[in-house]
Amino acid sequence: MSDYPVSPRNRIKRVGKRGSYDRATVHAILDSALMCHVAYVLDGQPYCTPTIHWREGETLYWHGSSASRMLRAQEQGARVCLTVSHLDGLVLARSGFNHSVNYRSAMVFGTAHLVEDPAEQERALLAITQRFYPGRNEELRPMTTQEIKATTVIAMGIEEAAAKIRAANVGDDEEDGHLPVWAGVIPVSTVIGTPQPSPVLPKHTPLPAHLAAYEPGRRLDAALQETQAIYEKG
Amino acid sequence: MSDYPVSPRNRIKRVGKRGSYDRATVHAILDSALMCHVAYVLDGQPYCTPTIHWREGETLYWHGSSASRMLRAQEQGARVCLTVSHLDGLVLARSGFNHSVNYRSAMVFGTAHLVEDPAEQERALLAITQRFYPGRNEELRPMTTQEIKATTVIAMGIEEAAAKIRAANVGDDEEDGHLPVWAGVIPVSTVIGTPQPSPVLPKHTPLPAHLAAYEPGRRLDAALQETQAIYEKG
């Protein structure tokens, strides 16, 4: 895959060695997360709204209530910046200045638009369940017309994007290396816990095979990358 | 503490029962996170930039290189929306429509400005280390004049804010309750791992007492709330 084009909008300005325009790198960061933050402008005011996203090739989707302020503001072709960030560690240095964090982030720029075609909208709504829980749709009751009407789907082609990654131990100044205060990385990760069944679940309803990726104790980013790969295989 | 004022900017539009303008609720969500996303506008284009934030009362701070595009755009009094989100669980329902996530998010609105006064800037730079690692500054070498010059600190008074929380099991439609597909919550949490010492650390440098909150296996949000409380006590 080629790199994303670079413009003043997505050019990495600071610490260039951490930056990348590589599509596979950007995709992996996006696919490893369930939630993103979407920045958009409404009457000159910026908003930063968390939402669930999913990706098909070079298109990102998000959705919500048809009454949502964010979605109504975006459906007419709003400029959007969608960002996904993973915190991977706290980096403690021998100087305040060299403290940092390990992270993986992707910023994506594009123009949001409403998915208007009813067939395309229904396909997108099926995709969100299928992408996170491949095979689950076959076990669910069908969507109702009212549910489809109540939901707005936004799509955005990725025009430009940039990834930024810090994945290293501490970068102390050489002359600080002898100072006798602990320095290093405290890793952090987002992990899956033990499933909590619905209180109205018929007794002995087993955990289905389509949830196998979400094994308790596993990293969520790994599970999400795995389900995306299964989804892409179809 | 009183609620934040409500305007069209921060009014909760959707699923009002999940929303709150309570200051303590907003503070707890902000203080439980190391990273936020900041939305701002530059030449009509929205940007959504992840960064580290810290809070003192009703003021939020973030910082970075003096060459940062984000900070240069914000230091002249830019409107900003700063959002913190915690993902707490995947919510699986008997219908695609009722799938959801458990989360805690806080959106904060204000006007960013540069911390210009050198004494206030130095105090803020000491505060960032002290807030996350209370007591650590006493063990570090002093900041250099060059390090202070190279760093820009942005402050923003919280003008308006809103929290939104979903912390519940699945909300299936009553008539779907009998369907024999697993439904419930798969919890997720961000946890602390085993510290990785710097490869250039003098041998036998112990983990200091000021890192006690970051015990391996503990939830990061709990550790960050604890260090904020220690920091506030002074």
Side-chain angles (χ1 to χ4, degrees), chain B residues 89-101:
Chain B
L90 322 184
V91 180
L92 290 106
R94 254 70 69 85
S95 60
F97 188 74
N98 284 321
H99 280 66
S100 188
V101 292

Side-chain angles (χ1 to χ4, degrees), chain A residues 128-230:
Chain A
I128 179 169
T129 313
Q130 198 67 4
R131 176 262 172 271
F132 291 111
Y133 315 113
R136 186 165 177 84
N137 280 332
E138 287 91 275
E139 302 191 23
L140 299 176
R141 67 158 175 78
M143 289 187 283
T144 67
T145 310
Q146 205 180 344
E147 288 171 344
I148 298 172
K149 266 195 192 157
T151 311
T152 290
V153 179
I154 298 286
M156 182 181 86
I158 304 178
E159 294 167 10
E160 291 159 10
K164 216 162 171 182
I165 297 173
R166 188 190 192 285
N169 211 306
V170 57
D172 267 318
D173 295 349
E174 210 172 320
E175 60 270 31
D176 292 341
H178 68 284
L179 295 172
V181 51
W182 192 88
V185 174
I186 298 178
V188 301
S189 58
T190 300
V191 296
I192 296 160
T194 305
Q196 301 164 342
S198 161
V200 295
L201 200 62
K203 273 185 186 161
H204 312 300
T205 306
L207 268 176
H210 65 252
L211 295 181
Y214 299 94
E215 204 186 339
R218 193 180 186 198
R219 289 177 66 116
L220 179 64
D221 54 6
L224 292 171
Q225 281 206 284
E226 182 182 320
T227 50
Q228 176 77 16
I230 297 170

Side-chain angles (χ1 to χ4, degrees), chain A residues 15-233:
Chain A
V15 202
K17 65 180 178 185
R18 294 186 190 165
S20 165
Y21 307 103
D22 175 58
R23 285 176 200 261
T25 304
V26 169
H27 291 176
I29 293 169
L30 295 171
D31 298 346
S32 299
L34 192 82
M35 272 173 70
C36 65
H37 286 79
V38 178
Y40 63 101
V41 189
L42 187 56
D43 299 330
Q45 170 69 48
Y47 291 84
C48 182
T49 302
T51 195
I52 295 168
H53 66 281
W54 67 105
R55 182 181 68 83
E56 310 223 10
E58 293 295 334
T59 304
L60 288 170
Y61 292 89
W62 56 97
H63 80 313
S65 160
S66 299
S68 151
R69 167 173 54 189
M70 170 174 81
L71 301 184
R72 293 178 76 161
Q74 290 170 353
E75 61 187 36
Q76 304 301 329
R79 278 190 185 188
V80 155
C81 174
L82 183 155
T83 299
V84 162
S85 307
H86 304 271
L87 178 67
D88 292 328
L90 322 183
V91 179
L92 291 106
R94 253 70 70 86
S95 59
F97 188 75
N98 284 321
H99 279 67
S100 188
V101 291
N102 280 341
Y103 63 92
R104 290 160 288 152
S105 73
M107 285 176 83
V108 174
F109 296 93
T111 305
H113 65 87
L114 177 68
V115 174
E116 279 188 284
D117 177 64
E120 168 66 5
Q121 186 201 359
E122 188 168 349
R123 200 199 57 75
L125 290 175
L126 289 169
I128 179 169
T129 313
Q130 198 67 4
R131 176 262 172 271
F132 291 111
Y133 315 113
R136 186 165 177 84
N137 280 332
E138 287 91 275
E139 302 191 23
L140 299 176
R141 67 158 175 78
M143 289 187 283
T144 67
T145 310
Q146 205 180 344
E147 288 171 344
I148 298 172
K149 266 195 192 157
T151 311
T152 290
V153 179
I154 298 286
M156 182 181 86
I158 304 178
E159 294 167 10
E160 291 159 10
K164 216 162 171 182
I165 297 173
R166 188 190 192 285
N169 211 306
V170 57
D172 267 318
D173 295 349
E174 210 172 320
E175 60 270 31
D176 292 341
H178 68 284
L179 295 172
V181 51
W182 192 88
V185 174
I186 298 178
V188 301
S189 58
T190 300
V191 296
I192 296 160
T194 305
Q196 301 164 342
S198 161
V200 295
L201 200 62
K203 273 185 186 161
H204 312 300
T205 306
L207 268 176
H210 65 252
L211 295 181
Y214 299 94
E215 204 186 339
R218 193 180 186 198
R219 289 177 66 116
L220 179 64
D221 54 6
L224 292 171
Q225 281 206 284
E226 182 182 320
T227 50
Q228 176 77 16
I230 297 170
Y231 174 65
E232 286 182 8
K233 269 193 225 154

Side-chain angles (χ1 to χ4, degrees), chain B residues 100-195:
Chain B
S100 188
V101 292
N102 280 341
Y103 63 92
R104 291 161 287 152
S105 73
M107 283 176 84
V108 173
F109 297 93
T111 305
H113 65 87
L114 177 69
V115 174
E116 280 188 284
D117 177 64
E120 167 66 6
Q121 186 202 0
E122 186 166 352
R123 201 200 55 76
L125 290 175
L126 289 169
I128 179 168
T129 312
Q130 198 68 4
R131 176 264 173 270
F132 292 111
Y133 316 112
R136 187 166 176 84
N137 279 333
E138 288 91 276
E139 303 191 23
L140 298 176
R141 65 158 175 80
M143 290 186 283
T144 66
T145 310
Q146 204 181 345
E147 287 172 343
I148 297 172
K149 267 194 193 159
T151 310
T152 289
V153 179
I154 299 287
M156 182 181 86
I158 304 179
E159 293 167 11
E160 292 160 9
K164 216 164 171 182
I165 297 174
R166 187 190 193 284
N169 211 306
V170 57
D172 266 316
D173 296 349
E174 210 173 319
E175 61 268 32
D176 292 341
H178 68 285
L179 296 173
V181 52
W182 193 88
V185 174
I186 299 177
V188 301
S189 58
T190 299
V191 296
I192 296 159
T194 306

Side-chain angles (χ1 to χ4, degrees), chain B:
Chain B
M1 284 189 282
S2 63
D3 277 7
Y4 286 108
V6 179
S7 82
R9 196 162 61 161
N10 68 325
R11 186 183 304 282
I12 305 277
K13 293 277 174 48
R14 292 289 311 150
V15 204
K17 65 180 178 184
R18 294 186 191 164
S20 165
Y21 307 103
D22 175 58
R23 285 176 201 262
T25 304
V26 169
H27 291 176
I29 293 169
L30 295 171
D31 298 347
S32 299
L34 191 84
M35 272 172 70
C36 65
H37 286 79
V38 178
Y40 63 102
V41 190
L42 187 55
D43 299 330
Q45 169 69 48
Y47 291 83
C48 182
T49 302
T51 194
I52 295 168
H53 65 282
W54 68 105
R55 182 181 68 83
E56 310 225 7
E58 293 295 335
T59 305
L60 288 170
Y61 293 89
W62 56 98
H63 80 313
S65 160
S66 300
S68 151
R69 167 172 56 189
M70 170 174 82
L71 302 183
R72 294 179 75 161
Q74 290 171 351
E75 60 187 38
Q76 303 301 329
R79 280 191 184 187
V80 156
C81 175
L82 183 155
T83 299
V84 163
S85 306
H86 303 271
L87 177 67
D88 292 328
L90 322 184
V91 180
L92 290 106
R94 254 70 69 85
S95 60
F97 188 74
N98 284 321
H99 280 66
S100 188
V101 292
N102 280 341
Y103 63 92
R104 291 161 287 152
S105 73
M107 283 176 84
V108 173
F109 297 93
T111 305
H113 65 87
L114 177 69
V115 174
E116 280 188 284
D117 177 64
E120 167 66 6
Q121 186 202 0
E122 186 166 352
R123 201 200 55 76
L125 290 175
L126 289 169
I128 179 168
T129 312
Q130 198 68 4
R131 176 264 173 270
F132 292 111
Y133 316 112
R136 187 166 176 84
N137 279 333
E138 288 91 276
E139 303 191 23
L140 298 176
R141 65 158 175 80
M143 290 186 283
T144 66
T145 310
Q146 204 181 345
E147 287 172 343
I148 297 172
K149 267 194 193 159
T151 310
T152 289
V153 179
I154 299 287
M156 182 181 86
I158 304 179
E159 293 167 11
E160 292 160 9
K164 216 164 171 182
I165 297 174
R166 187 190 193 284
N169 211 306
V170 57
D172 266 316
D173 296 349
E174 210 173 319
E175 61 268 32
D176 292 341
H178 68 285
L179 296 173
V181 52
W182 193 88
V185 174
I186 299 177
V188 301
S189 58
T190 299
V191 296
I192 296 159
T194 306
Q196 301 163 342
S198 162
V200 295
L201 200 63
K203 272 183 187 164
H204 311 301
T205 307
L207 268 176
H210 65 252
L211 295 182
Y214 299 95
E215 204 186 337
R218 193 180 186 199
R219 289 176 65 116
L220 179 65
D221 53 6
L224 292 171
Q225 281 205 283
E226 182 183 320
T227 50
Q228 176 77 15
I230 298 170
Y231 174 65
E232 286 181 9
K233 270 192 224 154

